[in-house]
Every structure is written in structure tokens, then in C-alpha cells.
Amino acid sequence: MPASQYTVSDVMTHTAVAIGREASYKEIVELMDQWKVSAVPVLEGEGRVVGVVSEADLLPKEEFRRDDPVLPDQLEEASKAGGVLAEELMSSPAVTVHPDATLAEAARIMARKHVKRLPVVNGVGMLEGVVSRSDLLKVFLRPDEEIGEEIRDSVLAGLAPPVHLQASVKEGVVTLRGSLRDRALVPLMARAVRAVEGVVDVRMELEGQPTGAS
């Protein structure tokens, strides 16, 4: 039985702060400060996400306050310096994620797009919540006992003799002790254990010889 995977819906914030197209610059700044967020989705109609206003979208107003020459690669940012409404400031289309996406998928999107927060939308683009970098780290708050139980039930329980392994977990670091009939299985076993959400690292002590699997 494979290790379970948490999805975005497991860790996202369901009550999301959002704005409409007509929200003013100052209103957006006040909302971000009040709710301690770095970006807010822009909605239209019944809640369809049409864009996102982030701190990066707001900073050009300060950056280009003076009348210094604008370089060619600064044109897009400079154009936002005169924006006063969300629809003029937002980045569109919005970078979003679906609630059934894995945490790894969400993390890859954030890294690739250089964003800290993602609106979570359903199949027709309606806002369901927001997931942030800190939300993705929540799995590392899982108790060691819970992680160990999942490893024993989902990874070790399906092993056939003569494989004999025991797992212990401390601060999210898993140590496997015992024997494997084939040392070629070591990287496969390490990968299976690392797939369990909340695992920080994997160590192996096989037949008395410590083997690092990180």
C-alpha cells in the first residue's frame, strides 16, 4: 500500500482575503497589512479568480516615484506605477492551483513562478481558498509517532521475508534498522519512506553498517 499524499485542500486556508477589480491601491495595502498577507486574489462575478495583486505589483509606485529614465526591461513594472485600481495593478491571468494537487506540485508552481501564495480554484476557476509557503510546511508538524505509524503501515507492512526492517522517528528523521536481501533496494526503500509526508530525512542501519540515504 503506497504512502498517502496530502493535497492542497488538506493545508490551504479556506477563508481567503480577496478583492474586486475596483478595489483601490490604498484599500489593497490596508488589507494586506491587516491580514498579514503578501498577495490577494482579484475576483469577478460569483468568485472567479481573474488575477492577483501582490506586493511586487504595488512596489513600482514607490520605485518609479521619481522621473528617472525607464529602461526597456522596466516598462511593465513602470506601467503599474500609475495604477490606482486592482484591475490596473493585478498580474493576470492568475497563477493558481487546484485543491486536489499534491503539496509537491504546489511547491513546484511557487518555485517556478516565484510566488509566495497561490489562489486555490475549482474546475471553473472559482476561488476555494489560498495556499501559502507556510501552509506547505505544515506537514512537518506531524508528530513523530504518526509518521512512524504510517511508515510501518504503508511501507514496511508489505515487505516480504527475508526483509526485516524497523522504523524509528525522531524530529522527523526516520531511521530504518534491520536487513535487506538486496542492497540495491536501499534507494527504493529510502524513496518510499521519504514519500511519507512530514519526513525530514532518512537514515539506514543495515546489518550493523550505517548507510546514509539522504
Side-chain angles (χ1 to χ4, degrees), residues 28-211:
I28 298 168
V29 174
E30 289 173 343
L31 275 175
M32 286 184 176
D33 179 67
Q34 177 183 353
W35 294 97
K36 308 304 178 188
V37 296
S38 59
V40 288
V42 182
L43 309 182
E44 70 175 8
E46 298 299 317
R48 186 169 65 88
V49 178
V50 293
V52 171
V53 177
S54 69
E55 292 171 336
D57 296 315
L58 299 175
L59 284 176
K61 190 170 291 294
E62 181 64 28
E63 181 182 356
F64 296 97
R65 184 177 298 278
R66 298 170 57 185
D67 293 328
D68 296 335
V70 177
L71 300 176
D73 61 353
Q74 295 177 316
L75 290 176
E76 183 177 352
E77 288 185 358
S79 68
K80 291 188 177 183
V84 295
L85 299 178
E87 62 184 2
E88 301 166 333
L89 298 160
M90 68 184 185
S91 296
S92 182
V95 180
T96 62
V97 68
H98 292 294
D100 58 354
T102 66
L103 303 192
E105 289 169 340
R108 281 195 292 270
I109 294 173
M110 287 184 184
R112 188 171 65 249
K113 298 296 185 178
H114 305 289
V115 296
K116 299 177 182 178
R117 297 166 61 84
L118 291 171
V120 183
V121 300
N122 62 18
V124 293
M126 305 293 282
L127 183 68
E128 294 197 355
V130 171
V131 66
S132 67
R133 291 176 178 177
S134 60
D135 291 328
L136 298 185
L137 296 175
K138 288 178 181 177
V139 291
F140 294 104
L141 298 177
R142 294 184 73 189
D144 290 340
E145 295 78 8
E146 182 178 312
I147 295 173
E149 182 178 356
E150 181 170 345
I151 291 171
R152 287 186 287 272
D153 292 344
S154 65
V155 179
L156 302 184
L159 297 177
V163 178
H164 302 287
L165 291 175
Q166 293 184 330
S168 61
V169 187
K170 184 176 182 180
E171 299 295 322
V173 178
V174 179
T175 301
L176 295 179
R177 296 181 176 88
S179 62
L180 281 173
R181 62 183 181 277
D182 185 353
R183 286 302 179 94
L185 295 175
V186 170
L188 297 178
M189 183 60 58
R191 182 176 179 180
V193 172
R194 193 173 283 110
V196 174
E197 300 288 3
V199 171
V200 175
D201 201 0
V202 182
R203 298 281 185 263
M204 288 196 175
E205 298 180 5
L206 303 177
E207 298 177 353
Q209 295 181 340
T211 302

